[in-house]
Amino acid sequence: MSKLVTIYGGSGFVGRYIARRMAKLGWRVRVAVRRPNEALFVKPYGSVGQVEPVFCNIRDDESVRSVMHGADAVVNCVGTFDARGKNNFDAVQSEGAGRIARIAAEEGVESFVHLSAIGADRESASSYARTKGLGEEAVLASFPSAMILRPSVIFGMEDNFFNRFAGMARMGPVLPLVGADMKFQPVYVDNVAEAAEKGLTGVAAPGIYELGGPEVKSFRAFIEEMLSVIRRRKMLLNLPFGLASVMGRVSEFVQRITGGLFTAPITRDQVIMLRKDNVVSDGAKGLKELGITPVAPEAVLPDYLWRFRPGGQYDAIKESAASLRTE
């Protein structure tokens, strides 16, 4: 019988790529999520019955244990940007990560991969980064041989980075940025999934790996690259951190009083994170040590950002027609 992997958060942005890779290797894949009915799209990743979404509440021991029973390997991809509610930073990224690792050790799981983030630090002023740091500590306390992946900003077809700003670029002549001069090192989502695969199959050694792409540029430079792909000209306005923090406070308040009907475009915690570069640390193990060739944004962005062009899918047809007229 083939091996079994349980992927917590397996229908999320990164989790689905890991699920697809493990299914291709012939593993049985258990995708543990809060809403299995919304994760049915993972089933065709493998043959009938090979990939199954199952319900799990990572705040409950028995729920976590029930979907892990019999698993050879475990991946924790669960994360959140929600500072409030039951599934807040602490409940998900600190306590939840520790719970999954502890139960994995109790269940005799062979390999464990935990998805963290560059900047994870229990002393950070950012609640997101602080709970990511605490989550790493909790994972290693229970499962010392775990592989911890710290990616920079992740890009890919379903990302919430380039897609988000490309959508914003369709409205008005100005595109506001916070921390425009901060350095980023975006990493392709399937590179992250490949790293996880190597950890799950035992090809890579345990430890902490910081994952970044082949390019280190300013936030502004990457947005300019995105604008070039979608063929839109915008004035980039770098907002002061103080003003951005006030905007975050107001946005969070409006989101709270509307019960989530309004989504805050930026939060105070995100403003704190944008004060620091998001790049791989000097001397850190990364994609190179894993034998993975990083994919640059320019190689992938046109494949999924074309829909934000003024003519959308018809831009290519117009260009072809224009070329014919000039010949």
Side-chain angles (χ1 to χ4, degrees):
M1 184 174 291
S2 60
K3 288 191 172 184
L4 169 65
V5 58
T6 297
I7 307 176
Y8 293 87
S11 65
F13 178 33
V14 179
R16 66 184 67 185
Y17 283 81
I18 299 175
R20 186 183 290 116
R21 277 185 165 272
M22 300 310 293
K24 286 183 177 180
L25 290 178
W27 286 50
R28 290 178 295 134
V29 182
R30 196 177 283 161
V31 176
V33 292
R34 285 189 294 166
R35 301 182 183 89
N37 288 339
E38 296 179 11
L40 297 178
F41 63 86
V42 302
K43 294 172 72 70
Y45 290 173
S47 57
V48 176
Q50 185 183 358
V51 183
E52 289 293 333
V54 293
F55 170 77
C56 178
N57 176 5
I58 66 166
R59 292 183 287 108
D60 179 76
D61 273 32
E62 288 309 309
S63 183
V64 171
R65 192 182 302 275
S66 65
V67 299
M68 192 188 297
H69 185 68
D72 299 280
V74 166
V75 188
N76 177 33
C77 294
V78 182
T80 184
F81 287 103
D82 188 0
R84 298 177 179 274
K86 294 181 179 179
N87 293 298
N88 55 39
F89 288 136
D90 286 298
V92 172
Q93 297 182 165
S94 177
E95 298 168 12
R99 177 176 292 107
I100 293 171
R102 170 174 55 81
I103 294 174
E106 293 170 355
E107 290 289 316
V109 170
E110 296 174 11
S111 55
F112 188 97
V113 174
H114 174 66
L115 191 68
S116 185
I118 282 180
D121 180 4
R122 66 172 299 156
E123 303 299 330
S124 175
S126 160
S127 296
Y128 178 87
R130 175 182 59 81
T131 52
K132 281 290 189 181
L134 290 172
E136 289 186 4
E137 292 183 5
V139 166
L140 293 175
S142 295
F143 213 107
S145 62
M147 167 190 263
I148 293 179
L149 301 178
R150 292 178 177 173
S152 180
V153 173
I154 304 174
F155 71 91
M157 185 172 294
E158 305 88 354
D159 72 46
N160 194 34
F161 182 65
F162 288 115
N163 276 306
R164 179 183 182 185
F165 285 98
M168 291 170 61
R170 293 188 294 190
M171 300 176 289
V174 179
L175 185 59
L177 303 177
V178 180
D181 297 323
M182 296 298 102
K183 296 294 188 296
F184 280 69
Q185 194 174 354
V187 59
Y188 183 45
V189 60
D190 198 48
N191 285 156
V192 179
E194 186 177 357
E197 174 194 321
K198 288 178 179 290
L200 294 171
T201 56
V203 173
I208 297 176
Y209 295 83
E210 296 195 357
L211 310 182
E215 299 177 347
V216 176
K217 297 191 293 191
S218 69
F219 184 14
R220 181 193 302 274
F222 280 115
I223 295 303
E224 288 173 343
E225 182 177 342
M226 177 272 294
L227 289 172
S228 176
V229 170
I230 65 174
R231 298 166 190 173
R232 292 181 184 269
R233 298 180 65 181
K234 299 291 174 180
M235 183 177 74
L236 300 181
L237 178 62
N238 188 18
L239 298 178
F241 288 115
L243 176 60
S245 184
V246 172
M247 292 174 60
R249 181 186 296 273
V250 173
S251 296
E252 290 173 36
F253 174 74
V254 175
Q255 178 173 314
R256 188 160 62 252
I257 64 174
T258 60
L261 295 177
F262 169 83
T263 301
I266 192 166
T267 66
R268 287 171 291 172
D269 201 72
Q270 289 171 334
V271 173
I272 293 173
M273 290 191 289
L274 286 168
R275 290 177 178 269
K276 291 186 176 182
D277 293 337
N278 195 279
V279 298
V280 173
S281 306
D282 292 337
K285 293 189 295 184
L287 294 178
K288 180 180 179 181
E289 286 72 20
L290 292 170
I292 299 172
T293 302
V295 175
E298 62 185 23
V300 179
L301 294 185
D303 293 341
Y304 66 95
L305 291 184
W306 55 263
R307 61 194 180 96
F308 295 103
R309 293 171 180 169
Q313 68 202 67
Y314 300 106
D315 262 16
I317 297 175
K318 293 177 181 177
E319 290 173 0
S320 178
S323 298
L324 290 174
R325 286 196 296 268
T326 57
E327 291 179 357

